[in-house]
Amino acid sequence: MYREKLKRIEKIENILWENLKKCQLCPRKCGVDRYRKAGFCGLNAFPKLSNAVLHFGEEPPISGKTGAGTVFFSGCNMKCVYCQNMGFSQNDIGTEIEVEDLAEIFLVLQRHGAKTLNLVTPTPHLPFIVSAMKIAIEEGLELPVVYNTSGYEDPEVLKLLEGIVDIYLSDIRYSSDEASLKYSKTPDYWSVVQKATIEMFRQVGPFNEEKMKGLIVRVLVLPGNVVNYSEIFSFLSSLSTRIPVSIMSQYLPHFNARKFPEINRKVQQEEYEKILELAESFGFTEGWYQSEEKERVTARGIKEITKKLRFLWLNSDNRR
């Protein structure tokens, strides 16, 4: 399987690196030469990480008993007003590293027993990721690759990843472009996410735990009836009701959410249960929901990685 991934990476690696000269990696298509300045996502021509950990709070088959080998990349092509990762997704926190360092991190996660390689917000980093994977595969990387995304993806770019990504772990956040513009400064999210989800599904089908392959869709429940969840479940059911749906109640009114009274509160249990019932009414029986009980520890740092990132940060040559 990994020999085939290697062949696929070799076909697309140069295409992705060339893209950085006039970046078109995401639907924003900002056209920035990232060798000279940061794109809309806030990133230049180096991988930039917030952290890499064994994460036990992802969906059960992604984390397993040993944790998902999760790489939190800095930067994002969305600007959600309530983002819980605001520091590294929008406020430029993170450490720039070399591709070789990223490959080493992938391998360290595997050595520490990770169930999967879980790439969080990977799209702006695609050239670096595929090059790091190439190095790591040649040195023994065998983990299933999880593409952990907001769903705001260019289907043409996703096509390049066929045969490389094993599991798409994708959000569907909104059911209208008006809501996505208001709360995430993304004017075409609903239009784009449907096309992107169709492409992900075409590549891998619904998630199959035995094969460790397929599409899982996350639905973050927002308060205030700002999302029509019937639209979301109707769209997904047109693909397959066998797609596992992870319905999340973890929303908190972080950061600028306070400026929007309708979402400036937690989700009420009654609201959440209505969405669960709605999903079931559309025929979705596979997936996960969140209970009120939460694990105290959902991630475990790896000293080897923590020390390396700290060293690289302290010895940064300030590439910008």
Side-chain angles (χ1 to χ4, degrees):
M1 179 182 71
Y2 265 75
R3 286 183 181 177
E4 293 302 315
K5 286 192 180 189
L6 202 53
K7 290 179 183 177
R8 185 64 186 160
I9 287 170
E10 288 171 349
K11 287 183 179 180
I12 69 168
E13 187 177 17
N14 288 338
I15 295 171
L16 292 173
W17 279 96
E18 281 294 311
N19 195 297
L20 291 182
K21 294 177 181 177
K22 189 178 180 182
C23 194
Q24 308 281 309
L25 288 174
C26 86
R28 297 277 182 185
K29 298 188 184 300
C30 65
V32 169
D33 182 349
R34 286 172 53 188
Y35 290 98
R36 295 178 178 272
K37 65 176 183 177
F40 180 89
C41 58
L43 299 165
N44 295 87
F46 289 90
K48 190 170 187 178
L49 273 63
S50 165
N51 207 348
V53 299
L54 290 173
H55 195 337
F56 297 86
E58 303 288 34
E59 284 69 16
I62 304 298
S63 293
K65 294 181 179 180
T66 54
T70 302
V71 181
F72 290 101
F73 290 101
S74 300
C76 187
N77 62 0
M78 292 180 70
K79 303 296 179 186
C80 302
V81 297
Y82 49 79
C83 181
Q84 64 181 6
N85 299 322
M86 184 71 74
F88 61 85
S89 70
Q90 297 185 39
N91 290 344
D92 203 33
I93 293 173
T95 304
E96 283 189 346
I97 64 175
E98 301 288 345
V99 166
E100 293 78 9
D101 297 317
L102 183 58
E104 183 182 349
I105 286 170
F106 292 170
L107 290 166
V108 170
L109 289 168
Q110 178 171 276
R111 288 199 298 269
H112 281 262
K115 175 77 178 291
T116 54
L117 179 61
N118 182 28
L119 308 171
V120 181
T121 321
T123 304
H125 297 80
L126 273 177
F128 326 131
I129 287 170
V130 297
S131 292
M133 283 184 64
K134 180 180 176 181
I135 296 168
I137 288 170
E138 289 171 343
E139 295 184 18
L141 180 70
E142 295 182 336
L143 296 177
V145 176
V146 179
Y147 204 81
N148 192 331
T149 170
S150 68
Y152 190 57
E153 302 287 347
D154 184 333
E156 295 304 311
V157 173
L158 290 176
K159 286 177 182 178
L160 297 175
L161 303 179
E162 186 168 5
I164 297 173
V165 171
D166 299 289
I167 301 165
Y168 285 102
L169 181 57
S170 180
D171 288 357
I172 296 187
R173 194 76 57 83
Y174 302 105
S175 57
S176 73
D177 291 337
E178 291 78 12
S180 66
L181 176 61
K182 184 175 183 179
Y183 304 117
S184 294
K185 298 181 182 177
T186 308
D188 55 353
Y189 180 87
W190 178 232
S191 308
V192 169
V193 77
Q194 293 177 82
K195 296 173 185 175
T197 305
I198 290 169
E199 173 58 25
M200 295 178 205
F201 183 77
R202 183 195 69 79
Q203 288 183 28
V204 297
F207 177 72
N208 182 307
E209 186 170 2
E210 185 177 338
K211 295 179 180 179
M212 284 303 285
K213 182 176 181 178
L215 170 65
I216 297 171
V217 172
R218 284 174 165 172
V219 176
L220 175 66
V221 178
L222 298 178
N225 295 315
V226 299
V227 177
N228 184 340
Y229 292 100
S230 290
E231 289 283 342
I232 293 175
F233 295 130
S234 176
F235 162 67
L236 282 177
S237 66
S238 73
L239 298 179
S240 174
T241 54
R242 291 176 52 233
I243 298 170
V245 181
S246 182
I247 302 177
M248 303 184 295
S249 61
Q250 66 195 47
Y251 172 83
L252 292 172
H254 288 295
F255 300 101
N256 290 324
R258 64 183 182 277
K259 297 179 181 178
F260 301 88
E262 66 275 18
I263 62 169
N264 188 27
R265 62 173 174 82
K266 295 180 182 180
V267 174
Q268 297 170 354
Q269 187 63 23
E270 183 180 355
E271 286 178 297
Y272 181 61
E273 289 177 359
K274 282 183 179 178
I275 307 305
L276 296 178
E277 291 170 3
L278 185 63
E280 189 174 356
S281 74
F282 274 91
F284 292 97
T285 57
E286 298 181 43
W288 303 270
Y289 67 92
Q290 292 180 322
S291 67
E292 294 184 22
E293 297 179 5
K294 292 186 170 61
E295 295 284 344
R296 289 188 177 182
V297 178
T298 59
R300 177 160 61 84
I302 296 174
K303 290 181 181 178
E304 198 175 338
I305 294 174
T306 303
K307 287 179 180 178
K308 185 175 190 64
L309 290 177
R310 186 177 296 129
F311 172 81
L312 290 168
W313 181 78
L314 291 172
N315 292 275
S316 170
D317 56 6
N318 194 18
R319 295 186 182 100
R320 292 189 182 184

